[in-house]
Amino acid sequence: KAQKKKKDMSDEKDLGFFGLGSDLFSVCILMFLYVLQGVPLGLSSSIPILIQQKVSGYSQQAAFSIVSYPFSCKLLWAPLVDCIYSERLGRRKSWLVPLQYCIGGAMLYIPSVIGDALGENGGEINIGVLAGWFCFLTFLAATQDIAVDGWCLTMLSTRNIGWASTCNTVGQTVGYFFGYLGFLALESPMFCNLFRSEELDVGCVTMESYLRFWGVVFVLTTTFCCDICEGERCGLF
C-alpha cells in the first residue's frame, strides 16, 4: 500500500501521455496481453465459417459451439487462480507465463492435426478433434483473462484504474479481429487477389501457417515480458 501511495503521488507530479504518468508502460503491456488473449477466441470463431464451406448442414457448427463454454464459465475457477500461486515465482507470474507458453505450444502443435480434422486431405471433418483443441485454447485464454484482470487491480495506480476496462475491451477486440476477420481475409483467394499482379486460387495464409505464426508470437513475447517485467518495473509480478 505504501508503495502504491508513493506511486500515485509521483504520478500527480508528472501526468505524461494521456495523463497516465508512470502507468503508461504498464497500460501498453496490459493492452498487448489482451490482444494476445483475443487471437485464439477469434480463430475459434473462424472455424464454423471453414466448416460451412465443406458441409451444408448446421449440426457440426452447433457441436463446435461448445468451445465458447470455458470463457462463459471462468467464474468457477477464478478463485483458484487468485489464491493458488508459487511464492518463488509470484502471484501473477505463476499463472501468466505457463498459460501463455501453453497457448503458444498448442498453436504450434495444432497445425499438425487440423488439416485432417478439417477434411482438407479428402477425409471427413472431425468435429471432435476441432472442438477439443479449440476448447482447450479457449480455456487457457479464459484463465489468462482471470490472471490479467487481477493484475490490473494491483498494478495500476488508483487514479488510472479505469484504464483496466479500456485495455480489456480494446485489446480483446483487436485480438479478436486479427484471429477472425484478419484470418478470413488473408485466407480468402478473392480478397488476396485484389492486391496481386496475377490471380491465384489460394490465399496468403492457411489455418496451419496462421496458427504457427501466432504460436511463435506467444512464445517470443512471453519470454520478452519475463525479461522486462520484473519487480516494480511494470508491476506484473
Side-chain angles (χ1 to χ4, degrees):
K1 290 182 179 179
Q3 292 177 347
K4 192 168 185 179
K5 183 178 180 180
K6 183 178 180 181
K7 181 180 180 182
D8 291 346
M9 293 176 64
S10 175
D11 284 352
E12 289 177 0
K13 297 178 181 178
D14 183 15
L15 297 180
F17 190 68
F18 278 119
L20 289 171
S22 60
D23 283 336
L24 176 60
F25 181 70
S26 297
V27 167
C28 292
I29 294 294
L30 260 179
M31 190 80 72
F32 183 71
L33 288 175
Y34 280 121
V35 169
L36 291 181
Q37 191 182 115
V39 172
L41 302 180
L43 285 170
S44 298
S45 298
S46 69
I47 293 296
I49 306 298
L50 301 180
I51 294 175
Q52 186 60 31
Q53 295 175 357
K54 302 177 184 298
V55 297
S56 57
Y58 294 96
S59 59
Q60 291 182 319
Q61 293 188 49
F64 187 79
S65 65
I66 193 176
V67 302
S68 64
Y69 289 3
F71 217 87
S72 302
C73 301
K74 63 182 179 180
L75 183 64
L76 298 177
W77 62 89
L80 298 178
V81 176
D82 195 54
C83 296
I84 300 176
Y85 60 93
S86 168
E87 291 284 353
R88 184 172 63 87
L89 294 177
R91 183 185 294 269
R92 309 306 170 193
K93 188 175 182 180
S94 297
W95 288 95
L96 285 174
V97 174
L99 283 169
Q100 294 206 168
Y101 275 131
C102 284
I103 294 175
M107 285 183 161
L108 291 173
Y109 175 77
I110 292 175
S112 65
V113 299
I114 197 171
D116 292 334
L118 285 171
E120 294 178 352
N121 299 321
E124 295 184 355
I125 293 178
N126 190 332
I127 200 66
V129 172
L130 292 173
W133 276 109
F134 280 94
C135 191
F136 178 63
L137 277 180
T138 305
F139 170 77
L140 294 176
T143 308
Q144 183 204 20
D145 183 60
I146 298 168
V148 177
D149 286 348
W151 168 48
C152 294
L153 299 177
T154 57
M155 177 270 294
L156 295 175
S157 61
T158 304
R159 179 173 49 79
N160 292 321
I161 199 67
W163 278 84
S165 59
T166 301
C167 293
N168 187 315
T169 303
V170 175
Q172 279 193 17
T173 301
V174 172
Y176 189 90
F177 172 84
F178 286 147
Y180 182 48
L181 294 177
F183 165 70
L184 291 177
L186 294 175
E187 191 267 345
S188 169
M190 182 179 299
F191 177 82
C192 294
N193 285 336
L194 296 175
F195 308 95
R196 290 169 171 164
S197 57
E198 58 178 315
E199 293 189 358
L200 299 176
D201 59 355
V202 294
C204 296
V205 301
T206 63
M207 176 61 82
E208 290 90 338
S209 63
Y210 206 65
L211 280 167
R212 289 192 184 99
F213 168 77
W214 282 108
V216 171
V217 170
F218 265 89
V219 172
L220 293 181
T221 55
T222 301
T223 304
F224 175 72
C225 287
C226 285
D227 292 336
I228 65 172
C229 293
E230 296 181 356
E232 297 181 1
R233 293 188 61 185
C234 67
L236 181 56
F237 308 131

